[in-house]
Amino acid sequence: MDITIKRTSLTEVDMLLAIQKEVFAEDYALYEDHDSTPVNETEAKLIENIERFFHYTILSDNAIIGAIDIRPLDENRLRLSKFFLRNEFQNKGLGSKIIKLMESEFPLIKDWSLYTPYLNKRNHHFYEKLGYIKICEVQVTEKLQLFKYEKKL
């Protein structure tokens, strides 16, 4: 399977929003987090994120299958803010390749972090397999608790 990663273009916003809604629908139904869920991200907010941060589109055979949003915390640390692949592209080893590629794109960055929902055991396994370590828990809403993970390269 041929995978390409490139900086996101504003022409891809509609497709990325549609994929986000698909991928994050289960979490949204479970946690009912209306304010921060990618399901409810607006076109304007996604455009702002694309323009302000490191936002990449993931393609397979020239079809958009997901995206990754990386944000600087300071000059030495980055946060993986959002990473998603269409459901049919998950559990095929692509996620690991993409994370490793993104880490190699920023060779001077030695501290990475991310947040993921506390009930999402698949995410926990995925990030731990890549060397991320759970460092704390954050209560966002009554139903949503996030685990914060960090990785030192």
Side-chain angles (χ1 to χ4, degrees):
M1 185 176 306
D2 186 32
I3 296 295
T4 307
I5 301 171
K6 65 174 195 63
R7 288 299 290 260
T8 299
S9 162
L10 295 181
T11 62
E12 300 164 342
V13 167
D14 289 341
M15 178 62 76
L16 290 174
L17 285 172
I19 296 170
Q20 278 183 200
K21 288 180 190 304
E22 168 195 326
V23 171
F24 291 102
E26 189 175 316
D27 281 345
Y28 180 58
L30 184 62
Y31 304 113
E32 299 176 350
D33 179 36
H34 309 295
D35 296 329
S36 66
T37 179
V39 170
N40 290 336
E41 186 169 41
T42 64
E43 182 178 306
K45 186 63 176 168
L46 181 53
I47 289 170
E48 177 186 335
N49 292 340
I50 290 167
E51 291 174 340
R52 288 184 61 203
F53 305 116
F54 302 110
H55 203 285
Y56 297 87
T57 299
I58 303 163
L59 303 107
S60 175
D61 299 321
N62 294 317
I64 297 173
I65 64 165
I68 189 163
D69 179 344
I70 299 171
R71 301 182 182 195
L73 298 174
D74 60 36
E75 60 194 34
N76 300 311
R77 299 180 305 144
L78 290 176
R79 183 178 73 227
L80 177 58
S81 179
K82 185 174 33 179
F83 174 41
F84 60 93
L85 292 172
R86 288 193 100 113
N87 294 332
E88 62 267 27
F89 290 91
Q90 295 178 17
N91 299 313
K92 298 182 183 311
L94 300 176
S96 296
K97 290 178 186 174
I98 292 164
I99 293 293
K100 289 174 184 174
L101 178 62
M102 288 292 95
E103 290 172 351
S104 72
E105 284 291 308
F106 299 93
L108 299 179
I109 301 299
K110 303 302 179 194
D111 289 329
W112 289 78
S113 65
L114 62 93
Y115 291 89
T116 192
Y118 77 110
L119 293 176
N120 196 323
K121 304 282 189 227
R122 191 172 81 185
N123 279 6
H124 305 165
H125 174 74
F126 172 71
Y127 290 115
E128 289 167 7
K129 175 179 75 172
L130 292 170
Y132 285 79
I133 298 167
K134 179 184 156 194
I135 61 159
C136 70
E137 301 172 12
V138 178
Q139 195 72 39
V140 178
T141 67
E142 185 178 317
K143 290 186 175 185
L144 178 59
Q145 182 180 17
L146 298 175
F147 287 176
K148 181 178 183 182
Y149 280 86
E150 286 187 348
K151 180 177 181 177
K152 308 277 188 209
L153 297 177

